[in-house]
Amino acid sequence: MNNNLAVVGLQWGDEGKGKIIDILSAGVDVVVRYQGGNNAGHTVVKDGKRYAFHLIPSGILHPGKLCVMGNGMVVDPLALLHEIDELRAQGVEISPRNLRIAENAHVIFPYHRKLDGFREKIRSNRIGTTGRGIGPCYMDKYARSGIRVGDLLNPRLFLSKLADNIREKNGIYRQVFGYDGFSEEEIAREYLGYAERIKDFVCDTVSLLHQVWEEGKTILFEGAQGTMLDVDFGTYPFVTSSNASVGGIFSGTGLPPKVLGKVIGVAKAYATRVGEGPFPTEFKDAMGDLIREKGGEFGTTTGRPRRCGWFDAVLVRYAVQVNGVDELVVTKLDVLDNLEEIKVCVGYRYEGRELETFPFDIDVFSSVVPIYKTFPGWKVDTSSVRRFEELPSEAKAYLNFISEFVGARISMVSVGSDREEVIFVD
Ligand code: GDP
Ligand code: IMO
Ligand code: MG
């Protein structure tokens, strides 16, 4: 048994992972992101000050912790430099001493962002992506035409790979989308400039992570997005292009499965989703606006209003299975404080049948009717509660039901956005 832990989202992202990772980072030495890119937006509130993370692990607020952007990530250097500047302006120390970037992570280029937009326009069913070029960058990775962070530091290799890509993209984009084309020289100049600014952060993170592991240091793996956005296990095709669930850790860092001691799954006390795709428990009435306002449910990355709905225990139970969740963290309980009653989805009805699991067919999943179990609300402010026993009995009943249904013990309950607003459950 070891103390290394993973923190993963169990819904459609934005579960409050950033806040939980910030808290748990205090007890680890190294924080590693293993997938995704700046489609992620993790918010941490410390002493009333708000910090937004997109690429940099949320552990960076703790001085002395090493933060690693693993090889499974896709890195937009412009977004990264922007984030570094913003965090530094807020007083956060960022240097190669506490931030390292995998040389074999893939780089996002303007032609990826462009294609992300083009594909959204021509699809009959938009995904509602973040438009950051995430999917197209992973496409190039798997097509073996991607350019990696380390390639930027070898101008000869970089320019030759870039030339191949520009030739291919310009040909296709012109034919299919009527786009004028990208200037190879401009992109080369721009990216060689970025290379100069990021080179000191870039290294062989596989060796680095094995070294810290052998030294017995504790590692936290920071998941981005959530299991229902995982490209294999989520509501495909309305997903992101990486493995947000624990499986992504090993291919996304170079560390083996035995490194992982514990998996912590994070779920909101209700559900949200940004972008398109089925969402059976989505509120169809004024409740949506109420929860969106109370929960501040607007995207950290794109500012889009998040769709809101009741907690879907069927999906979370599935996510608990897929990730092998050892401990469940329930966030944003306080957002439900004023409600008369609260519902939890415990099954789906489809054409007169009852489904107990999440159906594969997206057409079926889009037309299921949730079966709810209704709980009385507690109508008490929970934001100042710091002990589980002190929660109103209705809130405890709600949480205990969720824990039992999804099959994971609750180790933390979050009752506000600040670092201090949390209940540790024995
Ligand atoms: P992440 O992507 O999973 O890290 O989540 P986001 O940061 O995108 O979204 C979660 C939002 O909820 C952020 O604005 C957090 O500051 C906020 N938040 C986190 N936990 C709580 C909580 O327990 N209560 C309330 N009211 N807000 C919270
Ligand atoms: P964090 O880490 C919520 C959603 C997008 C879209 C779909 C595909 O903050 O939880 P993409 O740009 O990845 O190709 O978009 O995935 N999405 C997220 N939703 N939180 C996120 O990250 C997300 N990252 C991507 O809205 O529906
Ligand atoms: Mg987020």
Side-chain angles (χ1 to χ4, degrees):
M1 183 60 186
N2 62 64
N3 294 323
N4 302 324
L5 61 147
V7 178
V8 296
L10 301 180
Q11 294 157 314
W12 284 287
D14 301 330
E15 296 90 349
K17 300 176 293 295
K19 169 184 166 158
I20 302 306
I21 290 159
D22 169 64
I23 292 173
L24 296 172
S25 293
V28 308
D29 304 298
V30 184
V31 183
V32 192
R33 271 269 314 259
Y34 56 91
Q35 45 70 236
N38 58 324
N39 48 348
H42 300 174
T43 314
V44 176
V45 183
K46 182 186 149 202
D47 303 328
K49 225 168 128 181
R50 187 168 291 273
Y51 302 84
F53 300 98
H54 301 285
L55 286 161
I56 296 176
S58 311
I60 201 96
L61 292 182
H62 294 266
K65 309 289 172 185
L66 175 65
C67 290
V68 177
M69 292 167 51
N71 60 275
M73 291 186 73
V74 286
V75 182
D76 184 329
L78 179 61
L80 174 67
L81 290 167
H82 206 80
E83 187 169 336
I84 292 176
D85 288 345
E86 296 244 303
L87 289 168
R88 279 183 176 154
Q90 286 183 286
V92 181
E93 192 232 326
I94 300 177
S95 76
R97 274 200 309 278
N98 65 347
L99 178 68
R100 294 301 179 88
I101 307 167
E103 57 191 358
N104 48 346
H106 280 249
V107 179
I108 296 182
F109 282 86
Y111 47 78
H112 293 133
R113 291 191 295 261
K114 201 80 192 170
L115 182 59
D116 203 351
F118 283 150
R119 299 195 89 216
E120 283 285 88
K121 272 202 201 105
I122 63 162
R123 291 177 72 99
S124 40
N125 287 302
R126 290 177 58 233
I127 297 175
T129 72
T130 58
R132 300 296 190 264
I134 306 296
C137 185
Y138 279 113
M139 280 164 63
D140 277 352
K141 169 176 175 171
Y142 287 98
R144 293 155 296 171
S145 51
I147 299 177
R148 303 187 291 176
V149 175
D151 295 336
L152 298 179
L153 309 183
N154 175 348
R156 188 205 56 79
L157 184 65
F158 166 55
L159 293 175
S160 124
K161 286 189 170 194
L162 182 67
D164 282 352
N165 271 288
I166 297 286
R167 196 176 319 114
E168 180 195 72
K169 300 329 182 210
N170 278 356
I172 296 175
Y173 293 14
R174 205 168 284 140
Q175 287 281 327
V176 181
F177 307 110
Y179 182 71
D180 270 353
F182 297 93
S183 153
E184 191 178 323
E185 291 69 36
E186 246 172 60
I187 295 183
R189 197 171 339 111
E190 184 186 339
Y191 277 70
L192 287 171
Y194 299 148
E196 204 41 50
R197 290 190 59 195
I198 63 172
K199 67 177 193 308
D200 293 341
F201 295 102
V202 181
C203 73
D204 168 5
T205 53
V206 177
S207 299
L208 174 70
L209 289 170
H210 275 268
Q211 188 191 325
V212 297
W213 183 35
E214 272 157 31
E215 286 167 0
K217 298 210 165 119
T218 308
I219 306 170
L220 184 155
F221 298 95
E222 169 168 355
Q225 288 82 50
T227 307
M228 300 319 297
L229 288 174
D230 183 291
V231 68
D232 283 283
F233 303 113
T235 47
Y236 191 91
F238 302 97
V239 293
T240 191
S241 296
S242 65
N243 286 117
S245 56
V246 286
I249 292 177
F250 316 109
S251 57
T253 63
L255 285 166
K258 66 182 170 194
V259 76
L260 197 53
K262 183 158 74 177
V263 178
I264 297 182
V266 185
K268 257 178 222 188
Y270 49 99
T272 62
R273 159 157 226 180
V274 205
E276 307 303 317
F279 183 179
T281 62
E282 184 171 13
F283 298 128
K284 304 279 189 300
D285 48 22
M287 186 67 116
D289 296 325
L290 194 97
I291 296 290
R292 188 173 309 109
E293 286 306 318
K294 176 102 204 280
E297 296 296 356
F298 297 88
T300 311
T301 298
T302 55
R304 290 180 288 178
R306 295 175 182 152
R307 299 157 65 194
C308 300
W310 295 120
F311 189 89
D312 189 331
V314 179
L315 290 187
V316 175
R317 178 173 61 189
Y318 164 78
V320 163
Q321 282 176 339
V322 166
N323 292 289
V325 168
D326 297 296
E327 293 176 10
L328 180 67
V329 174
V330 178
T331 61
K332 307 192 88 159
L333 185 75
D334 55 300
V335 176
L336 304 181
D337 280 353
N338 300 326
L339 304 183
E340 281 297 331
E341 53 177 38
I342 297 164
K343 294 184 185 184
V344 178
C345 171
V346 294
Y348 308 116
R349 217 178 302 278
Y350 178 72
E351 292 184 342
R353 286 182 292 132
E354 277 190 21
L355 311 179
E356 285 175 3
T357 53
F358 154 56
F360 161 85
D361 189 320
I362 206 80
D363 281 345
V364 174
F365 194 48
S366 301
S367 43
V368 297
V369 178
I371 301 168
Y372 288 117
K373 181 169 167 64
T374 304
F375 290 82
W378 41 93
K379 300 174 79 181
V380 183
D381 178 359
T382 57
S383 64
S384 52
V385 176
R386 295 292 173 269
R387 283 164 42 84
F388 190 81
E389 300 71 44
E390 286 161 15
L391 280 171
S393 58
E394 294 86 350
K396 280 188 279 199
Y398 179 66
L399 292 169
N400 286 334
F401 175 80
I402 286 176
S403 167
E404 205 156 297
F405 190 95
V406 307
R409 142 186 130 71
I410 295 178
S411 61
M412 285 161 90
V413 180
S414 176
V415 290
S417 54
D418 208 273
R419 232 187 216 181
E420 311 301 320
E421 289 170 318
V422 68
I423 298 168
F424 292 95
V425 186
D426 294 333

